[in-house]
Amino acid sequence: QVQLAESGGGLVQAGGSLRLSCAASGSIFNINNMGWYRQAPGKQRELVAAMTYGGRPYYTDSVKGRFTISRDNAKNTVYLDMNSLKPEDTSVYYCNADIQDKTDPARVMDIWGKGTLVTVSS
């Protein structure tokens, strides 16, 4: 069973910083795209940042210059460093990854974490 475990959420004041971590575990051959989504109450889930296996990043416009995504492929882990946080960043943040099963690399699974809550106070 392949799964994702998130950590690092919490309460922070506007202008502060947090680091989110997401570690994949299980029968993993390779992780292709890996990244972070967020969903605030009453809003659709949106892609915040993502990174390919080779290290090519993507950021949504609202976080460019403030958030940094990184990966440690040896640890099957992705990080999201969030700086200059704003109240608008308050959301549940979900880790997401496209994972190939080691026992059958032809199997590609879209895996989601359970989410970690980030609350930014003004």
Side-chain angles (χ1 to χ4, degrees):
Q1 297 162 320
V2 176
Q3 54 191 328
L4 302 174
E6 303 126 321
S7 62
L11 175 64
V12 65
Q13 290 185 320
S17 300
L18 283 174
R19 190 185 207 195
L20 305 184
S21 299
C22 172
S25 61
S27 182
I28 298 170
F29 174 76
N30 188 61
I31 303 177
N32 299 318
N33 296 319
M34 199 172 191
W36 296 90
Y37 287 73
R38 67 185 180 189
Q39 187 168 26
K43 300 191 69 177
Q44 292 187 337
R45 187 171 297 189
E46 66 171 343
L47 178 62
V48 179
M51 182 169 281
T52 66
Y53 176 84
R56 185 173 185 177
Y58 163 84
Y59 299 97
T60 193
D61 286 343
S62 63
V63 308
K64 287 180 179 177
R66 300 189 297 121
F67 292 10
T68 302
I69 190 168
S70 60
R71 284 179 65 163
D72 186 337
N73 291 330
K75 297 180 180 178
N76 290 324
T77 299
V78 65
Y79 306 94
L80 186 66
D81 290 296
M82 304 182 293
N83 301 304
S84 301
L85 282 162
K86 304 175 180 179
E88 307 93 271
D89 296 317
T90 296
S91 274
V92 177
Y93 284 72
Y94 298 90
C95 184
N96 174 255
D98 300 316
I99 302 175
Q100 296 170 257
D101 193 328
K102 183 182 292 184
T103 62
D104 184 7
R107 278 177 47 81
V108 182
M109 301 169 288
D110 184 30
I111 306 297
W112 291 87
K114 298 297 185 291
T116 184
L117 177 63
V118 172
T119 303
V120 184
S121 62
S122 59

